[in-house]
Amino acid sequence: MASEPVARVVAEEVGRWGSMKQTGVSLRYMMEFGSRPTERNLLLSAQFLHKELPIRIARRALELESLPFGLSNKPAILKVRDWYLDSFRDIRYFPDVRSRNDQLAFTQMIKMIKVRHNNVVPTMALGVQQLKKEQCRTRKIPSGFEEIHEFLDRFYMSRIGIRMLIGQHVALHDPDPQPGVIGLINTKLSPIQVAQAASEDARAVCLREYGSAPDINIYGDPVFTFPYVSSHLHLMLFELVKNSLRAVQEQYMNSDKDVPPVRIIVADGAEDVTIKVSDEGGGIPRSGLPRIFTYLYSTAQNPPDLDGPNEGVTMAGYGYGLPISRLYARYFGGDLQMISMEGYGTDAYLHLSRLGDSEEPLP
Amino acid sequence: MASEPVARAVAEEVARWGGMRQTGLSLRYMMEFGARPTERNLLLAAQFLHKELSIRIARRAQDLDTLPFGLSTKPAILKVRDWYLNSFRDIRYFPEVRNQDDELAFTEMIKMIRLRHNNVVPTMALGVQQLKKDLGGTKAFPPGIDVIHQFLDRFYMSRIGIRMLIGQHVALHDPDPEPGVIGLINTRLSPMLVAQLASEDARAICMREYGSAPDVNIYGDPDFTFPYVTPHLHLMMFELVKNSLRAVQERYMNSDKHAPPVRIIVADGAEDVTIKISDEGGGIPRSGLSRIFTYLYSTAENPPDLDGHNEGVTMAGYGYGIPISRLYARYFGGDLQIISMEGYGTDAYLHLSRLGDSEEPLL
């Protein structure tokens, strides 16, 4: 535990770094920079991250302390705030990166930071649950919960950015990368292939839960590729297909009618790659649609045991899949739109910017 | 021409009535009231309209006088403003409605008003063209010009309301209405039937223009009906199908591939009836999508000769079909959303509120 004077110094540092200007990077820039992972470039990258990461981490630590409705005091939120403070300290106490050895040690250090923060989403979800429980006891849901939604959107978007920067830097150290891959970016990603893989994973989950799973038909140009982060696209498609399968399954489980397949269409345009995931699972009433993008009203089961191991892909789950998928889509300048036809089914449109010129959103 | 003192008196009256509060009605109220078109009820309706129409017409006349960027001084806009002033005078000079004869005369009078205003949309469109020319084309638009969109949305929405109120009142005088029809409202409207008719009309136009037309496939429950205003639904569907047919035709005209059909799906839910019109006409880039709802940027052909005859259905055209269809949808609490997949096609979702509880939007 830090002593009083030390804690005060750190708090001052956090205050100082938390108000510095953040610097966004575009997908295209990450690709161009990472295509030549020379020692010099990795050194420059580490020096950039040595400044940029503390700014972003400090900003979030400050926000965590000033949340409305007493959210900041919830035990789970305090835990997350401590993670951010510890990570801030680790980076600030790391000396200047001057040599290759410094750079390798720095990379190890930020790798550890990423691991420390693996469970941020379920832990924040727990904190929100703690707040809800308390608010429900007093039977009051104050109208300002909008603020909390907006905060969570900013917070999780920032987390996506921090983990992208760290992950990209770490991955550039891979001595033997796959052809066409630059760090976390696959310059020749086939959306059809990701759709197939994500669909198989989603069907497996559906089979496990229900004993059967609707078919999935995928349409599009099988040789089309574009640069994108595979794990991001996989996460989003997995989430959307999972939701569609569940809706169709629930709608047709006790019916003898033929189960309509989920349909995925991949379209490549000049500006965007658009992926539509369509189901005939009965749809959502228009009045209920805004809720599917919220955090506070998610029908999440209890977040799992926080001591369990968690991999990257579990950022979704806890009923947060759709809002977080939308953040991933927007991170590189895209978007996720859902339209529903009550009584029929739902269409999800994933727009991914093809040009890669969009700078990271820095809330 | 009115003399000076008369003009001043009218201007004062316009200001007075234009500042009064408007009263909105819901589809359900119109249905329930119109279900018993007794003499007494028609008298009450006429007395209500005597006040309400004065308020709504005066409000628009005032608006037309205070448009930004000099729009108010364009010849075409002045023409429309004069129509509104004349109609205001006609209503205000009409004596109190006290008996059946008064009521019948009042009904004739508002019928004439509606006729006078038949060409408002093309005339306003001409005024917008005049403004564009004066400003030197869209490239020279000053900042803040988008406020004109908001004005035109309010103005046209109000016009829809005024014409609905007048049309409903006039139609209630029909001594021999179709079964299930109350004024302009068909209590047992079959959306499938309207979709079929609108598609036929749209295909006929496409045939005339191109010599051929893609197929239109319609899916849904043929027995399903709900209360709605037939010409509104027909107008919206005609517009959407027309656009889809054009997009597919242009895309496949010089191709040996078979033109894919336009697909219409009619879904009935508890809150909404949703109609989706889907085409594979190549889509619209995400960056260009917002423009299809605008008035200033529409690539409209010149509005036709103003002395020509115009029927209700030409409210669309001039490139205004989509924004005005959306106003019709919203008028009774619904909406129109358009999503596109660049390189593939476009989906239009028409949401129509089933409950009919929505009050007219009064802006």
Side-chain angles (χ1 to χ4, degrees):
Chain A
M1 288 305 234
S3 69
E4 260 303 312
V6 175
R8 232 187 349 260
V9 167
V10 173
E12 274 166 24
E13 283 272 289
V14 170
R16 194 162 72 86
W17 284 82
S19 38
M20 291 189 206
K21 206 167 75 75
Q22 304 172 100
T23 303
V25 180
S26 72
L27 177 76
R28 183 191 290 236
Y29 180 86
M30 291 187 211
M31 268 204 313
E32 285 166 3
F33 184 84
S35 60
R36 295 172 319 273
T38 58
E39 265 187 48
R40 169 163 172 70
N41 275 356
L42 290 177
L43 192 69
L44 287 171
S45 171
Q47 288 166 345
F48 166 73
L49 291 178
H50 199 184
K51 284 206 190 56
E52 182 62 19
L53 289 176
I55 295 176
R56 297 196 189 191
I57 290 173
R59 188 177 279 248
R60 302 287 66 98
L62 287 176
E63 252 198 332
L64 284 166
E65 275 167 12
S66 51
L67 298 173
F69 309 112
L71 184 55
S72 293
N73 303 326
K74 298 293 161 281
I77 307 298
L78 290 171
K79 192 175 186 122
V80 174
R81 191 214 53 182
D82 284 346
W83 289 338
Y84 274 77
L85 287 180
D86 288 344
S87 300
F88 178 78
R89 267 196 295 265
D90 287 350
I91 296 195
R92 289 309 309 143
Y93 287 177
F94 197 91
D96 276 359
V97 179
R98 292 184 211 273
S99 69
R100 181 166 185 266
N101 285 344
D102 293 343
Q103 197 275 117
L104 290 171
F106 178 82
T107 302
Q108 277 311 307
M109 188 259 301
I110 61 176
K111 210 167 164 183
M112 288 292 105
I113 286 179
K114 193 160 129 159
V115 171
R116 170 187 287 135
H117 289 251
N118 271 356
N119 289 339
V120 160
V121 175
T123 316
M124 291 295 290
L126 187 58
V128 169
Q129 291 279 70
Q130 289 163 351
L131 179 68
K132 259 169 98 167
K133 222 180 291 187
E134 187 187 83
Q135 293 286 349
C136 281
R137 257 206 309 274
T138 66
R139 286 240 145 269
K140 258 192 313 152
I141 310 282
S143 57
F145 261 27
E146 264 299 300
E147 265 182 78
I148 295 196
H149 284 135
E150 288 160 19
F151 155 71
L152 287 172
D153 262 349
R154 289 195 305 272
F155 184 80
Y156 291 136
M157 179 66 97
S158 166
R159 180 171 185 270
I160 290 171
I162 291 169
R163 291 174 87 73
M164 180 69 203
L165 292 185
I166 294 177
Q168 182 68 0
H169 181 81
V170 167
L172 285 177
H173 289 71
D174 185 349
D176 185 27
Q178 298 270 344
V181 166
I182 298 177
L184 296 178
I185 303 166
N186 182 349
T187 61
K188 299 200 280 273
L189 185 69
S190 157
I192 293 256
Q193 221 168 43
V194 179
Q196 275 157 359
S199 296
E200 280 164 27
D201 291 350
R203 288 190 87 245
V205 174
C206 189
L207 269 164
R208 225 167 32 230
E209 251 186 79
Y210 295 98
S212 66
D215 287 332
I216 299 176
N217 300 339
I218 305 176
Y219 308 85
D221 181 358
V223 304
F224 168 71
T225 69
F226 77 117
Y228 206 75
V229 177
S230 305
S231 57
H232 288 190
L233 184 55
H234 189 279
L235 185 147
M236 296 185 282
L237 282 177
F238 172 75
E239 191 59 34
L240 295 174
V241 177
K242 185 161 61 71
N243 286 352
S244 284
L245 289 174
R246 178 169 299 139
V248 176
Q249 190 69 22
E250 298 264 335
Q251 172 103 325
Y252 285 83
M253 243 175 2
N254 303 318
S255 144
D256 46 358
K257 293 206 215 120
D258 274 338
V259 180
V262 171
R263 296 164 25 129
I264 301 178
I265 299 174
V266 179
D268 53 287
E271 289 181 10
D272 280 352
V273 174
T274 312
I275 303 174
K276 173 161 76 166
V277 179
S278 271
D279 68 66
E280 291 174 42
I284 304 162
R286 191 159 46 114
S287 60
L289 208 59
R291 285 191 172 193
I292 67 177
F293 281 113
T294 67
Y295 301 98
L296 286 165
Y297 298 100
S298 63
T299 53
Q301 330 90 26
N302 287 327
D305 180 11
L306 293 177
D307 290 317
N310 264 306
E311 284 315 314
V313 182
T314 56
M315 248 202 84
Y318 322 103
Y320 280 16
L322 282 176
I324 286 189
S325 294
R326 185 165 68 173
L327 293 179
Y328 273 111
R330 290 177 170 175
Y331 177 66
F332 280 130
D335 204 359
L336 168 63
Q337 290 174 283
M338 310 270 297
I339 312 247
S340 197
M341 301 180 69
E342 192 197 5
Y344 181 79
T346 301
D347 295 330
Y349 296 81
L350 201 47
H351 302 273
L352 308 170
S353 173
R354 238 192 121 157
L355 308 167
D357 287 337
S358 213
E359 266 185 27
E360 304 170 87
L362 298 169
Chain B
M1 291 303 239
S3 68
E4 262 302 314
V6 174
R8 230 183 355 253
V10 172
E12 275 169 22
E13 280 282 294
V14 169
R16 194 162 73 87
W17 283 85
M20 293 189 206
R21 211 164 68 81
Q22 302 171 102
T23 303
L25 301 181
S26 69
L27 177 76
R28 182 190 291 235
Y29 180 86
M30 292 187 210
M31 267 202 316
E32 286 166 2
F33 183 84
R36 295 172 319 272
T38 58
E39 265 185 48
R40 168 162 172 73
N41 275 357
L42 291 177
L43 193 67
L44 288 171
Q47 289 166 343
F48 167 73
L49 289 178
H50 200 181
K51 287 203 187 65
E52 184 62 21
L53 290 176
S54 310
I55 296 174
R56 296 196 191 191
I57 289 173
R59 190 176 278 245
R60 298 294 57 106
Q62 284 184 305
D63 256 0
L64 287 166
D65 269 338
T66 52
L67 298 173
F69 302 101
L71 185 55
S72 292
T73 56
K74 297 294 162 279
I77 308 297
L78 290 171
K79 192 175 186 122
V80 174
R81 188 209 58 179
D82 284 345
W83 288 337
Y84 275 79
L85 285 179
N86 290 340
S87 300
F88 178 77
R89 267 195 296 265
D90 287 348
I91 295 196
R92 288 316 309 146
Y93 287 174
F94 197 91
E96 269 183 60
V97 179
R98 291 184 213 268
N99 55 45
Q100 198 199 10
D101 284 338
D102 293 344
E103 195 275 313
L104 291 171
F106 178 82
T107 302
E108 277 312 300
M109 189 259 301
I110 59 176
K111 214 166 161 183
M112 289 293 106
I113 286 179
R114 194 163 99 143
L115 203 60
R116 170 187 287 136
H117 289 250
N118 268 358
N119 290 339
V120 160
V121 176
T123 316
M124 293 294 289
L126 187 58
V128 168
Q129 293 279 71
Q130 289 163 352
L131 178 70
K132 264 163 98 164
K133 219 182 294 185
D134 275 0
L135 291 179
T138 54
K139 301 268 185 238
F141 276 170
I145 194 100
D146 283 352
V147 66
I148 291 191
H149 286 137
Q150 289 147 31
F151 157 72
L152 287 172
D153 264 349
R154 287 197 308 272
F155 184 79
Y156 291 136
M157 179 68 96
S158 166
R159 180 171 185 269
I160 290 171
I162 291 169
R163 290 174 88 74
M164 180 69 203
L165 292 186
I166 294 177
Q168 182 69 1
H169 184 79
V170 168
L172 285 178
H173 289 73
D174 184 349
D176 186 27
E178 298 268 338
V181 167
I182 298 177
L184 296 177
I185 303 165
N186 182 351
T187 62
R188 295 197 286 268
L189 185 70
S190 157
M192 292 278 288
L193 198 58
V194 178
Q196 274 155 9
L197 295 171
S199 299
E200 279 165 28
D201 291 349
R203 288 191 84 246
I205 301 240
C206 191
M207 282 275 193
R208 225 166 35 228
E209 251 185 79
Y210 295 97
S212 66
D215 288 331
V216 179
N217 299 342
I218 306 176
Y219 308 86
D221 180 359
D223 297 326
F224 168 71
T225 69
F226 76 116
Y228 206 75
V229 176
T230 310
H232 288 189
L233 184 55
H234 188 281
L235 185 148
M236 295 187 281
M237 296 219 54
F238 171 75
E239 189 59 35
L240 295 172
V241 177
K242 184 162 61 76
N243 287 351
S244 283
L245 290 173
R246 179 170 298 142
V248 175
Q249 190 67 24
E250 297 264 334
R251 183 160 227 236
Y252 285 84
M253 243 174 4
N254 303 317
S255 146
D256 46 358
K257 290 203 218 124
H258 187 62
V262 170
R263 296 166 21 129
I264 301 178
I265 298 174
V266 178
D268 54 285
E271 287 181 13
D272 280 352
V273 175
T274 313
I275 302 172
K276 173 161 77 166
I277 294 123
S278 274
D279 70 65
E280 291 175 42
I284 304 162
R286 192 159 45 114
S287 61
L289 203 59
S290 50
R291 287 200 168 186
I292 66 177
F293 283 108
T294 69
Y295 303 99
L296 281 167
Y297 298 93
S298 67
T299 51
E301 332 88 42
N302 287 325
D305 179 11
L306 293 177
D307 291 318
H309 294 283
N310 266 306
E311 285 313 315
V313 181
T314 55
M315 249 203 84
Y318 325 103
Y320 281 14
I322 298 279
I324 286 187
S325 294
R326 185 165 67 173
L327 294 179
Y328 273 111
R330 290 177 170 176
Y331 176 66
F332 279 129
D335 205 358
L336 169 62
Q337 289 175 281
I338 300 194
I339 312 246
S340 197
M341 301 181 68
E342 192 197 6
Y344 181 80
T346 300
D347 296 329
Y349 296 81
L350 202 46
H351 302 272
L352 308 171
S353 172
R354 237 189 121 160
L355 307 167
D357 288 338
S358 212
E359 268 183 27
E360 305 169 86
L362 295 170
L363 312 147

